[in-house]
Amino acid sequence: MTHTPPPAEELRLLDAELWQLDARRAQLLARRAWLVTALQQNWQPKWQPPQPTAPTPAASPRPEASAPSVQNVLLVLGGVLLTVAAMVFTLVSWGHLGITGRALVLGAVTVAALSAPLPLLKRGLRSTAESVAGLGLALTVLDAVALHGAVFPETPGAPYTAVVSALLAGLWSAYGLLPPVSALRLPLPAALVAAQLPLFFWAIAADAGSYGLTAALLVTAGFDTLMALRTASRSLRVVAAIGAYGAGGLGVLAAGWLSWTASGPSAAARAAALLLLASAIALAAAWQGGRRAARANGQALGLALISGLLVVVALGGTARSLLPELWTAPAHLAFGIALLAALRLDRLPETVRRGLAWASGAVQALALLWALPVVGVVVLGPLAWASRAWTGAPSDARTAVTVDVAWPPHAEAVPVVMAAVAAVLALAVRDTAWRPRATAGALGLAWATALTLPAVLELPYFAGLLIQGAATAGALAAAMFLRQHVTPLVLALVTSASLAFLALASQTATLVVLSGLIALFTAASWRLAPFTAPAALVHGAALGVATGAAANWSPPHTALLVLVVPAAAALLAGRLGDPRATVPVEAAGAAAGLLAVALAATDLPLLATVLALCGVITAGTAIRTDRRPVGYAAVALFLAAAWVRLAAWEVDTPEAYTLPVTIPALLVGALRYRRDPRTSSWTAYAPGLAATLVPSLFAAWADPHWTRPLLLGLAALVVTLAGARHHLQAPLLLGGAVLLLDALHELAPYLVQVTDALPRWVPPALVGLLLLALGATYEHRLRDARRMRHFLTNLH
């Protein structure tokens, strides 16, 4: 019910509403007036005429060379040209003057060139003074050359060069230290360059031989090192460093060559003394550099490394001259390990100690590199038994690993070298960051030592097998109980493979070794299943092949024995506690299955059996919920087994091969279409239908009889009617196409007869009619297009 107020009350309500509307209207009108006023005050025209702008002055081109650079280039060129002119005058025009004139001219020019920097420095022309001073220094060299040709022509070149270079070094040093010209930077570095020659040429003059020349180079390098460490001038330090590295490098190379070619202990000792001198120079430089700023630490580390290596080469060269050649590498290794004693000397800077430690590590690495060929022969040599299986056990372990390769010389010291380095890694490395790596390295070297001992000591063949088996078991035990199990696990796998090939020399050894390896890896699978379980399966497959060969079975019959491995893999894959082991175990089983198929490939009936058994194993795997897609592989294996069996029965009817594919495919397609009606008929039925219809159609076209075309036509008719009945596109089109092509095949002879019976004008007439029909269709479409254009034009 609706409540209606009295007329007086309703009138009062209406008056109140009208009053509120009038008040709101007045408020909105006032706001509108304010907004209009604000907009009129802030309004500016959007377009303004362009204002003329003054032209921007072009930027001045940037000079490509600065004024100081131009100045220096000009001064250098001027000095060089003056020096060349002085050389030409000395060498060409010298003969036109007498002895007095020669002395006066060269002396005057030299004195003038050396004196000219004084006023130039007072006027602030330092660069010009440097160029003129350089000319004066070059003139002093020319004076010495001219003096030798004029006054001392009979003096040999080596002693004269030694004396003159020493005098020039002293003269240039004195000239550079004079207070008026001490601001010049060229004289003192030039004096240092001249100081590189006196000792070397004095050794040549004194006929000091190779050792004297090398000593002169090393002493010169020591002098340069002292200058580089003590001088405060940067230019002097650079020149001294270049001289130290240059002379020192040549001296070290010469001393190393003398040590390598030493004919006896005396010569080796003298070469070692030279190398120790070079090492002392490098160590002193590293010691001083290690006390400086952090930027010199890298250089000090390198010098300490070089110093340690030189000590090892010196002492090792002396030991090589005293010991048999067999112990050359162990001797060098012993001296390299002795360098680690420097780590306990607290007086040495930290950088020097690290450099000596790196030198010790480099020596140990070189010793291991020397031992590597023996390890390679022991590990890879047994691969040659794959082509000589069961030809007889060799006499000893060395003969067993050198079937196709030569035994490296002086290999008897290899186990000593590897054991020593393993002991250093296990005992000397205490740093927490490097300790795991050192432990892994020590374990690997201990493994290599155990592996090479039988061949080095020429132990009996079966003793070598026993030692390698023990090494495999030890590596597996270490992998099971150590935190870092990757390295021992890899070593165990490598050793087991090498041992399996080594055991191929004897039938008994092969069966026993493979059985033992299976037991070892199976026992280790409770901790390392992702790695050891596949290895056990691989060895199991090898044992199956070996067992079949020992029983004189043919390869196809041996394949049945190998199938035990895929069956075991299928059973274990779903029952292992570690899910990471599932895929590796299944992969190993699949590889064994492929091996079985390859073994049975020469016998079709047995191949069909093997494929069927593989299908059974795969179908059993597909029962697991996480391996449903494997069912497709099982179907493929069953199908392949059926085809191989048909081929073994010499069945050449294609339908016998295609129908086993079509029937399951159609059943699967029907099931899928029933579950999901939105599935396309091409997806559900086309693969199955095409698997039989297409090969049968090709066979029918090549078949001269009428049976296959008739049966194919009936089948295609049934498929077509089924497609039409259920409104399915794929059966309708595929069946209709096959039916049409089959009918054309049957009518082909009659069509040929009709074609021969037709007059020759019929084909051109038919082509003409076709062209007329196409033309009429084209004209009709053009007319429709014109009508549509006219209609659109008349629209408003």
Side-chain angles (χ1 to χ4, degrees):
M1 298 177 64
T2 303
H3 173 70
T4 303
E9 182 66 19
E10 185 176 0
L11 179 62
R12 187 184 65 81
L13 293 175
L14 290 177
D15 290 340
E17 290 290 339
L18 290 174
W19 180 84
Q20 290 179 1
L21 290 176
D22 291 339
R24 181 60 178 167
R25 175 179 175 80
Q27 182 182 2
L28 293 176
L29 289 175
R31 180 64 179 173
R32 180 180 181 279
W34 182 86
L35 290 174
V36 170
T37 304
L39 289 175
Q40 289 176 352
Q41 292 176 358
N42 297 331
W43 180 80
Q44 294 292 339
K46 296 183 179 180
W47 178 85
Q48 294 181 356
Q51 300 294 330
T53 57
T56 303
S60 58
R62 182 180 179 181
E64 295 182 358
S66 62
S69 301
V70 175
Q71 164 196 303
N72 294 333
V73 170
L74 294 177
L75 290 176
V76 171
L77 288 177
V80 171
L81 291 176
L82 288 175
T83 304
V84 172
M87 293 175 61
V88 172
F89 171 77
T90 304
L91 298 176
V92 177
S93 302
W94 181 258
H96 299 290
L97 299 176
I99 185 64
T100 304
R102 300 170 186 173
L104 290 175
V105 170
L106 279 179
V109 174
T110 303
V111 171
L114 293 176
S115 303
L118 298 176
L120 293 174
L121 288 174
K122 291 180 180 180
R123 296 185 179 183
L125 303 176
R126 181 174 176 178
S127 299
T128 306
E130 293 280 2
S131 299
V132 177
L135 174 62
L137 298 179
L139 287 174
T140 57
V141 177
L142 294 177
D143 289 340
V145 174
L147 187 63
H148 179 267
V151 182
F152 306 103
E154 302 298 330
T155 305
Y160 183 79
T161 302
V163 173
V164 167
S165 58
L167 292 176
L168 287 178
L171 176 63
W172 292 349
S173 297
Y175 177 73
L177 294 174
L178 290 175
V181 295
S182 59
L184 296 177
R185 293 177 294 181
L186 186 59
L188 292 180
L192 187 57
V193 172
Q196 308 298 312
L197 304 178
L199 279 178
F200 184 76
F201 282 96
W202 185 262
I204 295 176
D207 196 13
S210 301
Y211 292 93
L213 293 176
T214 304
L217 287 173
L218 293 176
V219 172
T220 303
F223 169 73
D224 292 333
T225 302
L226 181 63
M227 291 296 298
L229 294 174
R230 296 299 182 184
T231 186
S233 174
R234 184 175 181 274
S235 58
L236 277 179
R237 286 202 308 270
V238 172
V239 174
I242 294 174
Y245 283 112
L250 292 175
V252 166
L253 291 177
W257 177 254
L258 291 174
S259 177
W260 180 261
T261 59
S263 58
S266 176
R270 285 182 290 169
L274 295 174
L275 289 171
L276 291 175
L277 174 61
S279 174
I281 295 171
L283 182 62
W287 196 318
Q288 293 296 323
R291 294 179 176 178
R292 294 186 177 181
R295 64 174 180 269
N297 286 342
Q299 186 177 5
L301 180 66
L303 290 173
L305 171 63
I306 294 173
S307 175
L309 292 177
L310 290 177
V311 170
V312 173
V313 173
L315 300 179
T318 305
R320 183 174 60 86
S321 65
L322 298 173
L323 299 175
E325 190 175 359
L326 169 66
W327 299 104
T328 299
H332 283 80
L333 177 62
F335 293 124
I337 294 175
L339 289 177
L340 295 175
L343 296 176
R344 300 184 177 274
L345 299 177
D346 296 334
R347 297 181 58 186
L348 290 177
E350 177 64 24
T351 306
V352 175
R353 285 187 288 172
R354 286 196 293 116
L356 294 177
W358 278 102
S360 176
V363 173
Q364 296 177 54
L366 291 174
L368 293 179
L369 187 63
W370 171 79
L372 185 61
V374 177
V375 180
V377 169
V378 171
V379 174
L380 301 178
L383 296 177
W385 287 106
S387 59
R388 298 176 175 85
W390 298 355
T391 55
S395 58
D396 54 68
R398 182 180 298 183
T399 306
V401 299
T402 55
V403 178
D404 287 340
V405 295
W407 184 249
H410 311 300
E412 290 76 9
V414 167
V416 177
V417 169
M418 292 190 296
V421 178
V424 170
L425 291 176
L427 301 176
V429 180
R430 297 298 180 185
D431 185 75
T432 55
W434 287 90
R435 184 64 182 171
R437 306 174 192 175
T439 303
L443 182 61
L445 290 174
W447 165 82
T449 303
L451 216 61
T452 55
L453 271 177
V456 170
L457 300 178
E458 296 184 274
L459 297 179
Y461 169 70
F462 291 101
L465 292 179
L466 184 61
I467 292 176
Q468 284 205 20
T472 305
L476 279 176
M480 292 173 62
F481 298 106
L482 290 181
R483 182 176 300 178
Q484 298 291 336
H485 64 272
V486 177
T487 300
L489 182 59
V490 172
L491 297 179
L493 294 176
V494 172
T495 311
S496 65
S498 178
L499 178 60
F501 280 102
L502 187 63
L504 289 177
S506 169
Q507 175 178 323
T508 304
T510 301
L511 298 177
V512 172
V513 166
L514 289 176
S515 300
L517 290 176
I518 294 172
L520 280 176
F521 284 100
T522 302
S525 296
W526 69 280
R527 290 287 296 273
L528 302 170
F531 307 97
T532 55
L537 293 174
V538 170
H539 291 304
L543 179 62
V545 175
T547 304
N552 292 324
W553 289 0
S554 63
H557 289 85
T558 304
L560 297 175
L561 186 60
V562 175
L563 284 178
V564 175
V565 176
L571 293 174
L572 290 175
R575 291 170 174 79
L576 291 174
D578 192 348
R580 297 175 301 171
T582 302
V583 174
V585 167
E586 290 176 345
L594 291 177
L595 175 62
V597 171
L599 291 173
T602 57
D603 191 332
L604 292 182
L606 280 176
L607 177 59
T609 304
V610 168
L611 289 172
L613 292 175
C614 290
V616 171
I617 296 171
T618 308
T621 303
I623 295 175
R624 292 159 44 197
T625 56
D626 58 337
R627 290 293 183 267
R628 296 299 188 193
V630 181
Y632 296 105
V635 172
L637 288 171
F638 285 129
L639 182 62
W643 286 354
V644 171
R645 175 57 65 180
L646 291 174
W649 288 337
E650 298 182 356
V651 176
D652 56 359
T653 303
E655 288 77 11
Y657 295 89
T658 58
L659 286 176
V661 178
T662 295
I663 295 173
L666 289 177
L667 292 177
V668 172
L671 181 61
R672 181 175 180 182
Y673 188 80
R674 182 177 179 181
R675 291 181 177 179
D676 186 7
R678 292 176 298 177
T679 304
S680 173
S681 62
W682 292 99
T683 303
Y685 300 111
L689 294 175
T692 294
L693 292 178
V694 174
S696 297
L697 180 62
F698 282 105
W701 274 72
D703 193 347
H705 303 287
W706 59 271
T707 307
R708 176 177 280 112
L710 177 61
L711 295 177
L712 177 62
L714 293 175
L717 178 62
V718 171
V719 170
T720 304
L721 295 177
R725 171 68 178 81
H726 298 284
H727 304 283
L728 297 176
Q729 191 179 60
L732 180 63
L733 295 181
L734 283 176
V738 172
L739 182 61
L740 177 61
L741 293 175
D742 186 64
L744 288 176
H745 170 264
E746 294 302 311
L747 295 176
Y750 304 103
L751 294 177
V752 171
Q753 294 178 3
V754 172
T755 304
D756 292 337
L758 288 176
R760 295 186 177 181
W761 56 267
V762 173
L766 294 176
V767 173
L769 291 175
L770 177 62
L771 293 177
L772 287 176
L774 291 175
T777 304
Y778 186 68
E779 181 181 7
H780 178 71
R781 291 180 178 177
L782 288 178
R783 184 188 62 188
D784 292 343
R786 284 194 295 269
R787 288 181 178 178
M788 180 58 68
R789 184 180 60 184
H790 180 70
F791 173 75
L792 294 176
T793 304
N794 294 331
L795 289 176
H796 295 287

